[in-house]
Amino acid sequence: MNPISLAVAVLVVSLCSFQAQGDDDLIIKACSKTSYNDLCKAILQAAPNSNDADLYGLTQIALNIAAQNVTNIYQTIDKLQNDSSVDSFVDECLTDCLENYQDATDQIEDSVTALEFKAFNDVRTWVAAAMSDVATCDLGFKDKPGYQSPVHQMSAVFDQICSIVLTFNHCLIEGNVHLTS
């Protein structure tokens, strides 16, 4: 193994070696490894049973929050589409977004199931696919100058939650954590 590979392996092991502490310690340590530390701590510290969870449990909690989030966005898009004041371009984009968000919802549900079976590589695949579908929705509005997705901010939060899930899932893939189900 070359020195860079060895250094990366040591870094991953040290980043992913979390044990449940029975308090906020694991949440703080795990969230510090994500790109969205503040959001991660906020959503996990507010979630019931998160203080007693190990990293596997925190991943389940974050994935369930992503599922709730994507469902809320889908419902928002559905309401926006039923607004008679939207122009035809926005209406077409919203129709496409409904399809994208339905796919994203299905993919997050598939991720939840995959996590239950500890199929971590499948979790990574499905979460990434959901993120891609959400991004496709936002991109559709950019086809016409001056337009932006009305759910752009909500999509950004969903993307951040998914990023948190992927970070935790990466540590689970590495197998350097104590898992309890």
Side-chain angles (χ1 to χ4, degrees), residues 14-40:
S14 67
L15 293 178
C16 298
S17 296
F18 301 118
Q19 298 290 326
Q21 306 290 318
D23 57 25
D24 265 357
D25 286 353
L26 179 61
I27 293 172
I28 292 167
K29 287 177 187 175
C31 289
S32 72
K33 307 309 176 197
T34 71
S35 297
Y36 305 101
N37 184 33
D38 292 338
L39 174 65
C40 179

Side-chain angles (χ1 to χ4, degrees), residues 126-145:
W126 290 119
V127 171
M131 293 169 78
S132 178
D133 279 328
V134 167
T136 299
C137 169
D138 283 351
L139 286 174
F141 285 90
K142 294 183 179 183
D143 287 344
K144 197 169 184 180

Side-chain angles (χ1 to χ4, degrees), residues 32-106:
S32 72
K33 307 309 176 197
T34 71
S35 297
Y36 305 101
N37 184 33
D38 292 338
L39 174 65
C40 179
K41 287 189 297 190
I43 64 174
L44 291 177
Q45 288 172 336
N49 303 320
S50 62
N51 284 340
D52 298 325
D54 59 7
L55 186 59
Y56 177 84
L58 293 179
T59 306
Q60 286 179 308
I61 292 167
L63 196 49
N64 287 327
I65 291 168
Q68 293 169 342
N69 188 268
V70 75
T71 298
N72 291 341
I73 299 170
Y74 178 90
Q75 292 169 347
T76 299
I77 293 168
D78 191 42
K79 287 178 187 171
L80 289 169
Q81 191 177 34
N82 291 324
D83 183 350
S84 60
S85 67
V86 298
D87 67 35
S88 61
F89 174 74
V90 171
D91 186 57
E92 288 175 28
C93 289
L94 291 173
T95 298
D96 291 344
C97 284
L98 281 175
E99 185 177 318
N100 291 130
Y101 272 90
Q102 183 58 59
D103 289 347
T105 300
D106 294 343

Side-chain angles (χ1 to χ4, degrees), residues 122-166:
D122 292 343
V123 171
R124 179 180 54 209
T125 299
W126 290 119
V127 171
M131 293 169 78
S132 178
D133 279 328
V134 167
T136 299
C137 169
D138 283 351
L139 286 174
F141 285 90
K142 294 183 179 183
D143 287 344
K144 197 169 184 180
Y147 284 85
Q148 182 180 35
S149 169
V151 294
H152 175 72
Q153 293 299 328
M154 295 172 77
S155 299
V157 171
F158 174 75
D159 191 71
Q160 293 170 1
I161 295 168
C162 287
S163 175
I164 292 164
V165 169
L166 290 175

